Amino acid sequence: MEEQMNCIYRTIHFIEKNYDEPISVKDLEDVSHYSYRNIQRIFKYSCGETIGAFQQRLKVENAYKLILYSKESLTSIALEVGFANIASFSKAFKQHFGISPKAAKLSKEKLLCGPDLIPVTSDILLEPEMVYLKPMQIYYQSIQTYYNNEEIEWLWEKFMQNEFPISETEYFGVIVDEPLIKTEINCRYDACSTSQSKHKKLPSKMIFGGKYARFAHHGGYETIDETYAKIYSRWIFNSGLEFSHSPIIEKYEKHTDGREDQLTYILLPLK
């Protein structure tokens, strides 16, 4: 079972890195160490969708992020995420989101206030620190969630059972999918450490490598949505910056029993 899960992690990570390129049968067999038929079966059972559907979803979801956070034309975005032309991109985008790319580009703010999205109203303007972070290797486990605190806490309880070196380990949460535009079943959150487990071999990948806007959240995780609301409602569209479609990362800088003393950094990737 553990080998199958590591196989899924390897396959997901490979597709995430290469979603905008053609992926061959041999590519999937090499990275998963399974036959194409078996990896398709294991992937569908574990992730609830086929490999082809997963890659197509990554294309349109990453395109949506570029529409929201960049100034690129729709044609450039279509080619950047791996579509052959604007027509095939528009068709796939509308099938997935129920709205055309053109309509999405013309109504960014409205799209961030839909019925299934987190509220984005705040009178407080946050100011981030701009930082450059070098690439870093992390070890991780994942969960599908809608940034749900109970599910994330359950993942961290399970993750910490692996036991990590206390003095030298840093901890991160990688929000693989954009929480503003995802449906519940398709969101993924990674619990990450900079050290390998003492008990079993966890999958690894690289994070960071570039510029980030770093926001500070003070207090417990049950109020972190309020900090996100302040970021998205008052800062993100008025900053004049362009954002990368790589994941948002949380760094758990200070975790204490007294929740008011906790410090979490929210890192938004910049172009």
Side-chain angles (χ1 to χ4, degrees):
M1 186 63 180
E2 183 178 327
E3 171 54 33
Q4 282 194 0
M5 286 310 302
N6 284 335
C7 152
I8 291 300
Y9 279 126
R10 289 195 302 269
T11 304
I12 288 173
H13 185 48
F14 177 80
I15 298 171
E16 285 176 341
K17 286 180 64 179
N18 301 280
Y19 74 89
D20 55 341
E21 301 287 343
I23 296 176
S24 69
V25 170
K26 186 176 184 305
D27 290 334
L28 292 171
E29 290 182 337
D30 287 347
V31 74
S32 69
H33 305 157
Y34 279 86
S35 70
Y36 181 69
R37 180 177 179 181
N38 277 337
I39 186 53
Q40 284 278 21
R41 176 180 56 80
I42 296 167
F43 192 95
K44 178 69 181 295
Y45 176 80
S46 301
C47 301
E49 60 187 331
T50 65
I51 290 174
F54 176 60
Q55 185 179 11
Q56 181 85 328
R57 179 166 64 79
L58 289 180
K59 288 182 179 182
V60 294
E61 288 179 353
N62 280 304
Y64 203 147
K65 293 182 188 180
L66 289 168
I67 289 171
L68 286 174
Y69 303 136
S70 81
K71 299 175 183 177
E72 294 183 41
S73 69
L74 293 178
T75 299
S76 295
I77 290 172
L79 296 176
E80 185 173 338
V81 300
F83 286 96
N85 51 60
I86 190 69
S88 59
F89 166 55
S90 297
K91 181 179 179 181
F93 190 95
K94 190 166 186 177
Q95 283 177 341
H96 192 77
F97 293 113
I99 187 172
S100 71
K102 184 177 180 180
K105 192 174 181 68
L106 291 173
S107 56
K108 291 183 179 183
E109 287 80 2
K110 287 183 180 179
L111 292 169
L112 296 178
C113 300
D116 298 325
L117 307 179
I118 66 173
V120 287
T121 57
S122 174
D123 295 327
I124 300 174
L125 179 64
L126 297 183
E127 286 296 339
E129 180 184 1
M130 301 301 166
V131 297
Y132 181 87
L133 298 170
K134 294 180 179 179
M136 175 186 296
Q137 184 175 33
I138 51 89
Y139 304 88
Y140 68 103
Q141 288 179 319
S142 302
I143 192 172
Q144 287 185 333
T145 182
Y146 188 54
Y147 199 68
N148 179 290
N149 284 322
E150 287 185 10
E151 293 172 344
I152 290 174
E153 285 180 10
W154 174 86
L155 174 62
W156 276 102
E157 287 177 9
K158 179 182 175 185
F159 187 67
M160 295 306 292
Q161 290 172 8
N162 293 298
E163 294 190 17
F164 302 99
I166 296 175
S167 61
E168 58 196 61
T169 303
E170 295 181 299
Y171 296 98
F172 301 88
V174 177
I175 304 171
V176 181
D177 301 301
E178 168 56 72
L180 289 177
I181 62 173
K182 299 296 170 286
T183 55
E184 182 170 347
I185 193 171
N186 288 331
C187 286
R188 201 172 89 242
Y189 171 95
D190 295 341
C192 313
S193 76
T194 54
S195 300
Q196 180 61 281
S197 165
K198 294 181 180 180
H199 298 304
K200 67 179 181 180
K201 187 176 181 181
L202 295 173
S204 67
K205 63 180 178 181
M206 302 298 291
I207 61 172
F208 295 137
K211 295 183 294 183
Y212 287 80
R214 185 172 72 182
F215 296 85
H217 169 72
H218 298 275
Y221 306 126
E222 68 275 3
T223 60
I224 200 167
D225 279 352
E226 297 172 13
T227 301
Y228 275 106
K230 294 168 187 174
I231 295 169
Y232 282 105
S233 64
R234 291 295 308 278
W235 184 81
I236 203 164
F237 289 114
N238 298 321
S239 67
L241 299 171
E242 289 197 66
F243 293 82
S244 167
H245 57 286
S246 55
I248 295 169
I249 297 174
E250 295 176 355
K251 182 181 181 184
Y252 306 116
E253 187 72 14
K254 185 179 180 183
H255 183 88
T256 63
D257 292 334
R259 294 191 173 188
E260 65 278 1
D261 296 327
Q262 290 179 185
L263 172 60
T264 303
Y265 286 124
I266 298 171
L267 295 137
L268 273 63
L270 302 174
K271 280 196 166 185

